[in-house]
Amino acid sequence: MKYTELRYQPEKSGIYVGSPSLLRLPDGALLASHDYFEADPVSNLAPRISEIYRSEDGGASWRNVNHLSGALWGSLFLHDDCIYHLGTDREYGSIVIRRSRDGGFSWSDPQDERTGLLFRGGPGRTGPNYHFGGATPVAVHRGRVFRACELFSEPDGRFGWDAASFRETILSAPDDADLLNADNWTLSRPLAFDAEQLNTIHPGLAGQHSGWLEGNLVTAPDGSLANLMRVHLNTPNKAALLEIAPDGSDLSFRPETGIIDFPGGASKFTVRRDPATGLYFTLSNPVTMPECPWQRNILSLCCSGDLRNWKILKNLLTDDTGLPPEESVRYTGFQYADWEFDGDDLIYLVRMSYRGARNYHDSNRITFHRERNFRRAASPDSGAN
C-alpha cells in the first residue's frame, strides 16, 4: 500500500490520531490538520491539541508548522483569502474558530466572543455539549457560511456514546461578516432522530440505539442546501437526507423519502460536488459483512448524480495485512477520510488503523493519498457497480 505518512502514533502511548482535514490553497500548497484522542473518555474532556501541516510539493512531503491548543474535530476552509479552522475546544465542549492570514503558519486565539469563542459548552458533560465528530464540509450558500453540528446528551445518565444521543443543528453566519465574532453566528432549532416515526414508514428499520450525526452540507440538484448524514440503523449502508431552510434557522426530515441507500452510511464520510461534472463524490466505508456494521477496512470511491442514488466506483484502500476477514474488521480501519479535488486528481487524508493499531477505531496513522484521473472511474464505460 502506497501512502505518505503525516503522523504515526505508537499504540503504547495510549493516544490516537483523528479528524484529518485537508485544504488546497490558491498558491498550490496543501494544508492539513488532525487531532488526538484517548480511550479514556474523561481525558478527552480536557482541552485537545490539533496539529497543522503544510506541503509544498503536492503532498509528497509534509512539514508540521504549528499546533493549536484547545482544538478538536476541526474543519479547514478558505474564505475571503483567509484560512479558518472551525471545531470545538475539547470533546463536547465549546465551538471555536481560528483564522490564519499567512497560509496556516500562525493562527488567532479564541479567547472570547470577539475573537472566535462562538458558543460556550458546559463543564464536563453538562450541557450544552457541542459535537462535530470530525472534519465535515463547510458550505457557502446564498450569502451564508454553514456547517452541520450536533448537540449531545448523555445516554440514559451513563457516561458513554450512543448514536441516539445526538440532535442535529446547523451553524451559520453571513458570509460577509466577521467570522470570529460570536454575534454573527446562529444555531438552528435542533432536530432529534425519531425512531418511532421512521418505523411507521419502514417497520423495524430503526432501533433503540439508532440516530444520526456528522452531516455533510452540500448544494442539492435543485439549488437548495441539503444535509446528508451518517445514520445508525438496523440495516447497514443507509444515509439520512435532511432539508435546510435557506437562512439556516430550521431543518426537517421526511421519513417517507429521507432514508437512502448509501455505501457505508454508518461511518463518517465527506460528500462534495464536482464543479467540472456536477456529480457528487464521496469516500466511504461500505459494509460488506452485515454481521459487522462497524466495518471500516475498505475505503471506496462512490458517486451520485442526484444525491439519492449512489454507486461504488472502485475500492481505494483494502487491507493487505493478511489478516482473516473477522480479524481485519477488528484491527484495520481506513476511516474519516477528508478530501479535495486537485485538477484531474482526487487527494485525500485518512485516519488509519493499520499494522499495529489497538483496534479498528483507535487510529495510529494519518496518511495522504492521491487518486489520479479519478473521473475516469465515473465514465459510462468504466464498468462501475
Side-chain angles (χ1 to χ4, degrees), residues 76-237:
L76 293 166
F77 68 99
L78 190 67
H79 185 62
D80 285 345
D81 300 322
C82 293
I83 303 166
Y84 291 88
H85 184 275
L86 174 59
T88 62
D89 64 338
R90 56 179 176 82
E91 189 173 272
Y92 309 120
S94 301
I95 298 176
V96 293
I97 189 169
R98 291 170 168 85
R99 180 173 60 205
S100 174
R101 299 182 184 274
D102 60 5
F105 289 98
S106 63
W107 295 82
S108 61
D109 185 16
Q111 297 181 0
D112 56 32
E113 280 77 4
R114 294 293 180 266
T115 57
L117 176 53
L118 302 184
F119 292 89
R120 291 180 182 264
R125 286 199 173 185
T126 301
N129 298 312
Y130 297 109
H131 173 270
F132 293 112
T136 53
V138 174
V140 179
H141 183 77
R142 296 181 180 174
R144 294 189 71 83
V145 178
F146 295 88
R147 188 182 177 189
C149 179
E150 290 84 44
L151 290 169
F152 176 81
S153 300
E154 203 69 58
D156 300 324
R158 296 180 290 107
F159 198 93
W161 188 97
D162 194 318
S165 299
F166 295 96
R167 293 178 295 154
E168 185 69 356
T169 184
I170 302 297
L171 177 69
S172 71
D175 66 359
D176 60 354
D178 177 5
L179 297 186
L180 299 189
N181 190 329
D183 290 343
N184 295 322
W185 290 88
T186 60
L187 281 170
S188 72
R189 177 187 63 87
L191 183 63
F193 180 86
D194 191 331
E196 182 177 353
Q197 180 193 50
L198 186 62
N199 283 336
T200 61
I201 307 297
H202 306 284
L205 184 58
Q208 178 183 358
H209 302 292
S210 292
W212 52 33
L213 63 157
E214 297 170 351
N216 290 260
L217 299 184
V218 63
T219 302
D222 66 1
S224 65
L225 191 64
N227 188 4
L228 188 57
M229 300 194 65
R230 168 184 175 180
V231 64
H232 288 223
L233 298 169
N234 291 334
T235 301
N237 298 316

Side-chain angles (χ1 to χ4, degrees), residues 219-286:
T219 302
D222 66 1
S224 65
L225 191 64
N227 188 4
L228 188 57
M229 300 194 65
R230 168 184 175 180
V231 64
H232 288 223
L233 298 169
N234 291 334
T235 301
N237 298 316
K238 303 285 185 181
L241 193 58
L242 279 63
E243 300 171 2
I244 302 170
D247 63 355
S249 63
D250 203 7
L251 66 167
S252 58
F253 173 71
R254 300 182 185 184
E256 300 85 359
T257 59
I259 297 297
I260 64 170
D261 292 331
F262 185 93
S267 294
K268 185 262 180 189
F269 54 88
T270 293
V271 173
R272 303 189 192 277
R273 193 176 195 182
D274 181 10
T277 64
L279 294 173
Y280 299 92
F281 288 88
T282 191
L283 274 61
S284 63
N285 301 119

Side-chain angles (χ1 to χ4, degrees), residues 2-7 59-62 348-349 366-369:
K2 293 183 179 180
Y3 56 81
T4 301
E5 193 166 81
L6 280 71
R7 177 71 184 184
S61 62
W62 293 84
Y348 58 106
L349 285 181
I366 298 292
T367 58
F368 173 84
H369 309 253

